[in-house]
Amino acid sequence: MAVADSPVMQQYRAAKREYPQAIVMFRMGDFYEILGDDAALASELLQITLTKRRTAKAEDEGIPMCGVPHHAAEGYIGKLIEAGQRVALVEQLETPEEARKARGSGAIVRREVVRLFTPGTLTEESYLAAGQARYLVAISGGAREAGRLEGAVAWLDLSTGEVGVRGMTAGTLGAIVAGLSVGEAVVPQALEEAVAGVVPTGVVTVQDSLFNHDAAQRAVLRAYGIDTLEGLGLPTEDAVCAVGALVGYASLTQMGQLPQLAHPKVVNGRSRMMIDPATRKNLELTESLAGKRADSLLGVADRCITGAGSRLLARWVAEPLTDVGEIGARQAAVAALVEDGAVRGEVRSLLKQTGDIARCVSRLLLGRGGPRDLAVLRGTGDVLPALQKALKGKDGLLAVQAKGLGGLGELTALLDKALGDDPLPALVRDGGFIRDGYDGDLDGHRTLQRDGNRLLQELEAREAACGVPLKLRYNQVWGYYFEVGKAHAAKVPEHWVHRQTTTQAHRYSTPELMRLERELGSAGAKVQHREEEILATLVEAVKGASYALLSASEALATLDVLAGLAEVAARLGWVRPEVDGGDAFAIVGGKHPVVAARVSEFVANGCDLSGGQTWLLTGPNMAGKSTFLRQNALICILAQVGSFVPAERARIGVADAVFSRIGAADNLAAGQSTFMVEMVETAQILNRATAKSLVILDELGRGTATYDGLAIAWACVEEIAGSLGCRTLFATHYHELTALAEKLERLSTHQVAVREWKGEIVFLHQVKPGAAAGSYGVQVAKLAGVPGRVVSRADELLRGFLKVAHGKGVVKVDELSLFAAPVVAAPKADNPIEVKLKGMDVDGMSAREALHALYELRGLVH
Ligand code: ADP
């Protein structure tokens, strides 16, 4: 028999109905309870015991339940989010006493969902990595002209208030999203399919209503507290929809609240280098293929002091610039700090004293900030004048940042005056964070609280002046009272009030004692309350200064990145590349930033692809081909980030895109074989690369049969060096391709040199003109520890194959015991059957002649 829900269960079910996709954590006294299917899931993810919640009714079987103590909830919520869950937190909005007072003795406590925790909308320090952003992304748009997808991508870091938006097409969507470290995405139904391969499905929310143009527009106006969209400069309806959906969704998760949002940064796609997802991964920009940050480009280039600096550098590396002026401005600032080591040192040491103010502001404005967030604002504010002073006399971007650091004097002075000394308590209720002397009321409450005993003693002494021997006492029932021996009872002053008579004594109170007692009892609560009130006024002041705070935060992060890049350049001897709008790519003495940091003697190599040259690079495995390919792409990216580069000299005409096809990884999850992945990536490059792109291709065509692969590689080289004319590095084992160099003007051959020594090879890691003598696969196999007998057999086979390839002999397939050996086939021109067939005039033959020819042909078959 179904059991009617208790009122509490009804509350629970209402919350669950509202947030069916989230795990509902339901506050019951000191615990959060998780019920039903959620409980089974959560108990497994959190490794906590699964029990049952029963009602008093005998027939009730109860429902699955698990619970976590409320004071430890943060950790458990963090684990659930890490596991890809969303959590709806239901709080009690009143105490049981308040409920009874308001709605009678049977009343239950009011409970409501106060927060929806989702992976892209976290603001708590404990859920966020200091140096990494986790963006909430909204993608709007749909099929436009000729069915082509078009729209906008907007992103929000709720923990800092950073907002950005840019246009997208089917061709650029993947690249844009891949550059964003997406925590969560919101899309309309029409785009669900388009984002399927771009964002992990677990973090995608499909919600059409958020993208409705009117609703989106209203959401934007509300979020920015403005009446018209004009000032925001959102360029398209798609951009409005994407930003609207973004802030709309974020405010749903925060129950209508939002922190101060920075004005949306509108990014023009053309002003950024395009790097597709595969290239990003292959070049190991933010993490190595093994998933390590330390072995990535960022791992080497990130010497930022602050978390906000690291986050900004990650954005810069994800989106290198294409505008020569903007790149030059960053370079000039880095150069100034490279040259002026003293200022660089000072800036960096001052940055150490600053905190993550954008995240603090966000938390404070969302009502989850505490005294320590204010302390961070104060501490940072205190340092800003010194930073400005250190930058005095600098121009360009550095001067812009110095200016951005201004405007916080008043707030800092206020916080300096109001806040006590560090360390301040983490929680408001721990109290004691407002400085004595800042607020008269608070001082009064504190005096009472602190000086309670002294005041009582003073009162006792005053009353004792009447000559009656008295003692001040306290008990739970009566509180404070004066006790006077029975013999003296008649002599007590008139203003004393009799409270109680015991066998030995009389107990009295006085109006003053009662007042003092009342005040003492409530002083603690009053101190807390007053501190909360003051905190609220300080938060208001923070809100009033929030634009200045966000701008200071951005300036600090930018300074940190510039000084960090200068530090890398100075320490590692990197140089400032010449970047212009031409078609040069001339690197002298280039190094791979990561590999050079790992191996003791890295051999520097030059590269010149100026004018749209293609270098065909041959050389054995392990010679350093991939390293060379990657290092040039990384140098190009670093240059367009505005950084110095690991080279002796570099001149680069900005690349609109860097494409790579490196390594072979199955994408079996998407149902694609190695070869398919390789061809999809190749197709994208050939379809998208322009004469301004930089392309690196490593062993194209390797995933299929030899001649298949050679044919594809050949055709690709012809297309690239012949028609596209993009600056290209092409590493290959197909030595046949080197013949193309004679035919194609823009193609030249280069090799990574090795020396043969007593049948072994020595890797020189030197890139020089000309084609390699061979691939030395057998020698490399030997070096790798392939058993001796296999190596000698391979060597023997190789000699056989080579003879065939050079037409010097016939090798029988079964003699070699191979499954298939395409290279064994004799050259076609020598085949007598073919010669005979080609020579026949089939149309002019009589039936008899045809029959005769047939016999002849049969005779040619052995
Ligand atoms: P390939 O692509 O030709 O097989 P890799 O580029 O993977 O070769 O390089 C193999 C190894 O050689 C690298 O892991 C690195 O340790 C070393 N190496 C590559 N280039 C250099 C260099 N220029 N100087 C020193 N060592 C290098």
Side-chain angles (χ1 to χ4, degrees):
M1 188 183 105
V3 184
D5 274 343
S6 67
V8 172
M9 270 314 279
Q10 285 171 12
Q11 275 182 337
Y12 169 79
R13 289 200 202 283
K16 187 68 201 170
R17 260 197 309 279
E18 216 178 325
Y19 297 96
Q21 271 120 9
I23 290 181
V24 172
M25 288 182 51
F26 191 77
R27 181 72 179 262
M28 292 288 281
D30 284 342
F31 280 84
Y32 289 105
E33 291 187 355
I34 303 171
L35 304 172
D37 292 345
D38 285 356
L41 179 64
S43 69
E44 191 166 322
L45 294 174
L46 300 175
Q47 299 279 305
I48 53 176
T49 320
L50 186 65
T51 58
K52 284 206 160 151
R53 178 181 229 277
R54 290 171 198 280
T55 61
K57 296 189 181 119
E59 67 273 37
D60 180 15
E61 286 176 10
I63 58 169
M65 181 191 90
C66 57
V68 300
H70 85 99
H71 60 82
E74 191 162 309
Y76 287 111
I77 293 171
K79 276 193 200 157
L80 289 174
I81 292 166
E82 276 308 308
Q85 302 297 319
R86 293 170 170 78
V87 175
L89 196 72
V90 179
E91 279 297 354
Q92 298 181 170
L93 300 184
E94 56 190 1
T95 62
E97 295 78 55
E98 283 166 340
R100 278 194 291 276
K101 220 187 227 169
R103 296 185 301 284
S105 62
I108 58 160
V109 173
R110 271 198 309 130
R111 291 184 179 82
E112 262 172 37
V113 177
V114 295
R115 170 92 183 271
L116 181 62
F117 289 89
T118 73
T121 58
L122 301 171
T123 55
E124 285 78 355
E125 218 168 2
S126 54
Y127 300 145
L128 299 167
Q132 245 177 328
R134 242 204 273 196
Y135 289 102
L136 173 67
V137 169
I139 306 167
S140 66
R144 298 289 145 79
E145 238 174 79
R148 264 181 226 194
L149 177 65
E150 224 180 88
V153 179
W155 56 93
L156 162 67
D157 181 345
L158 195 66
S159 76
T160 63
E162 177 197 347
V163 183
V165 62
R166 65 186 275 184
M168 65 89 177
T169 60
T172 57
L173 178 62
I176 295 171
V177 172
L180 272 170
S181 67
V182 176
E184 191 176 1
V186 195
V187 298
Q189 200 154 18
L191 291 182
E192 199 178 355
E193 220 169 285
V195 299
V198 178
V199 185
T201 39
V203 296
V204 175
T205 299
V206 180
Q207 205 160 331
D208 264 344
S209 57
L210 289 169
F211 290 87
N212 167 288
H213 188 258
D214 288 342
Q217 187 166 339
R218 276 197 306 276
V220 176
L221 295 177
R222 205 174 331 113
Y224 285 97
I226 48 179
D227 301 327
T228 142
L229 286 179
E230 274 155 36
L232 292 185
L234 295 171
T236 59
E237 275 200 10
D238 283 329
V240 174
C241 285
V243 175
L246 196 64
V247 292
Y249 181 80
S251 101
L252 282 180
T253 65
Q254 310 298 312
M255 304 304 126
Q257 272 187 307
L258 278 181
Q260 184 66 54
L261 302 179
H263 275 195
K265 201 164 263 174
V266 180
V267 174
N268 174 357
R270 264 185 247 280
S271 69
R272 297 290 189 274
M273 176 195 265
M274 192 172 100
I275 313 176
D276 62 49
T279 302
R280 256 171 228 288
K281 217 165 113 204
N282 288 332
L283 291 179
E284 307 181 304
L285 296 183
T286 52
E287 59 175 32
S288 69
L289 290 174
K292 278 203 199 144
R293 189 179 194 268
D295 295 338
S296 70
L297 178 65
L298 266 190
V300 173
D302 182 0
R303 299 239 178 152
C304 290
I305 304 275
T306 67
S310 292
R311 298 197 298 269
L312 184 64
L313 179 63
R315 298 283 309 130
W316 284 19
V317 168
E319 292 190 327
L321 304 171
T322 55
D323 183 285
V324 174
E326 279 184 75
I327 296 169
R330 287 187 187 171
Q331 284 184 330
V334 174
L337 293 171
V338 170
E339 282 155 26
D340 196 337
V343 168
R344 181 174 82 243
E346 194 180 348
V347 165
R348 283 167 62 80
S349 88
L350 287 168
L351 281 168
K352 282 196 188 116
Q353 301 166 47
T354 68
D356 210 331
I357 55 178
R359 283 188 171 173
C360 293
V361 172
S362 210
R363 274 195 294 272
L364 285 163
L365 298 195
L366 281 169
R368 356 197 131 106
R372 283 189 191 163
D373 291 308
L374 289 173
V376 169
L377 299 188
R378 169 185 61 186
T380 306
D382 282 341
V383 179
L384 301 184
L387 261 173
Q388 284 182 306
K389 200 162 148 236
L391 293 169
K392 217 173 180 125
K394 299 278 182 245
D395 55 7
L397 264 193
L398 293 177
V400 173
Q401 309 317 318
K403 192 150 174 263
L405 296 176
L408 285 177
E410 221 173 284
L411 179 71
T412 309
L414 172 68
L415 294 176
D416 266 332
K417 214 164 97 190
L419 297 175
D421 294 333
D422 286 320
L424 295 184
L427 300 173
V428 179
R429 66 160 183 268
D430 293 337
F433 54 90
I434 298 296
R435 192 180 287 287
D436 282 337
Y438 173 69
D439 179 77
D441 286 355
L442 179 62
D443 287 346
H445 301 319
R446 277 191 181 149
T447 309
L448 277 181
Q449 195 185 25
R450 277 186 213 139
D451 300 349
N453 280 334
R454 191 175 49 78
L455 287 174
L456 283 171
Q457 280 162 11
E458 280 171 16
L459 181 65
E460 187 182 10
R462 266 202 312 280
E463 295 296 344
C466 69
V468 180
L470 54 82
K471 278 194 183 114
L472 182 67
R473 297 195 181 242
Y474 175 85
N475 76 24
Q476 285 276 333
V477 184
W478 295 103
Y480 288 99
Y481 53 84
F482 292 122
E483 195 168 76
V484 176
K486 271 201 166 147
H488 304 285
K491 287 183 275 173
V492 301
E494 262 180 29
H495 65 278
W496 287 28
V497 184
H498 181 258
R499 304 296 295 267
Q500 197 190 13
T501 304
T502 65
T503 46
Q504 308 288 324
H506 287 212
R507 292 173 175 175
Y508 302 89
S509 188
T510 71
E512 205 179 345
L513 184 60
M514 282 188 272
R515 185 180 57 80
L516 204 54
E517 182 180 350
R518 259 199 320 275
E519 282 177 7
L520 267 177
S522 59
K526 279 187 176 158
V527 165
Q528 186 180 335
H529 183 67
R530 186 63 195 150
E531 281 203 303
E532 281 167 9
E533 280 177 352
I534 298 172
L535 182 92
T537 64
L538 296 177
V539 171
E540 270 311 300
V542 167
K543 195 169 176 186
S546 52
Y547 273 114
L549 282 162
L550 291 189
S551 116
S553 165
E554 199 179 326
L556 284 172
T558 311
L559 270 180
D560 195 12
V561 172
L562 294 169
L565 289 175
E567 180 77 8
V568 184
R571 299 246 166 179
L572 303 180
W574 291 7
V575 301
R576 177 177 179 171
E578 275 176 62
V579 179
D580 57 29
D583 59 5
F585 190 87
I587 314 293
V588 178
K591 291 184 181 176
H592 188 296
V594 182
V595 180
R598 300 279 177 274
V599 303
S600 54
E601 282 181 27
F602 191 87
V603 180
N605 280 303
C607 177
D608 194 346
L609 306 174
S610 303
Q613 283 287 317
T614 293
W615 274 21
L616 200 64
L617 192 67
T618 47
N621 283 320
M622 287 302 289
K625 298 185 300 299
S626 305
T627 307
F628 181 71
L629 256 54
R630 285 190 168 102
Q631 90 185 24
N632 286 298
L634 291 175
I635 286 174
C636 184
I637 286 173
L638 278 172
Q640 292 185 222
V641 162
S643 165
F644 281 25
V645 299
E648 275 166 46
R649 245 188 0 262
R651 194 154 64 81
I652 297 173
V654 282
D656 61 353
V658 169
F659 291 101
S660 80
R661 155 93 274 289
I662 296 178
D666 276 327
N667 192 358
L668 294 178
Q672 292 180 331
S673 69
T674 312
F675 183 63
M676 192 60 192
V677 173
E678 189 181 331
M679 285 303 110
V680 167
E681 288 179 15
T682 307
Q684 285 180 356
I685 297 172
L686 295 176
N687 288 328
R688 294 202 197 131
T690 73
K692 293 195 78 57
S693 307
L694 179 72
V695 176
I696 61 173
L697 296 163
D698 198 0
E699 298 195 38
L700 189 69
R702 201 180 51 166
T704 183
T706 314
Y707 283 125
D708 255 7
L710 173 58
I712 290 169
W714 189 294
C716 286
V717 173
E718 279 182 346
E719 172 75 7
I720 287 170
S723 330
L724 280 173
C726 40
R727 294 161 289 180
T728 306
L729 286 170
F730 196 114
T732 186
H733 282 298
Y734 296 125
H735 293 261
E736 295 83 345
L737 288 178
T738 54
L740 267 172
E742 283 160 30
K743 217 176 87 185
L744 297 170
E745 211 177 290
R746 282 192 290 226
L747 187 73
S748 58
T749 54
H750 287 78
Q751 56 174 317
V752 191
V754 290
R755 195 187 302 135
E756 253 189 299
W757 189 71
K758 291 190 184 165
E760 309 249 332
I761 49 169
V762 181
F763 298 110
L764 304 175
H765 302 304
Q766 248 169 23
V767 177
K768 46 185 213 183
S775 279
Y776 301 93
V778 175
Q779 285 94 326
V780 175
K782 189 172 161 193
L783 275 184
V786 172
R789 58 185 183 286
V790 178
V791 171
S792 17
R793 173 72 175 140
D795 202 30
E796 181 189 333
L797 286 169
L798 178 67
R799 285 170 212 278
F801 291 151
L802 289 175
K803 257 193 219 158
V804 174
H806 296 124
K808 288 182 192 143
V810 177
V811 180
K812 290 263 171 62
V813 170
D814 38 355
E815 205 175 283
L816 291 168
S817 54
L818 285 182
F819 301 108
V823 289
V824 173
K828 283 184 179 161
D830 294 340
N831 185 337
I833 299 179
E834 205 176 309
V835 173
K836 181 92 195 158
L837 269 170
K838 274 193 183 146
M840 280 181 195
D841 173 16
V842 178
D843 290 331
M845 279 183 186
S846 68
R848 196 183 169 78
E849 285 166 331
L851 188 64
H852 180 70
L854 202 53
Y855 278 118
E856 262 184 12
L857 282 173
R858 195 180 62 179
L860 289 173
V861 179
H862 310 290

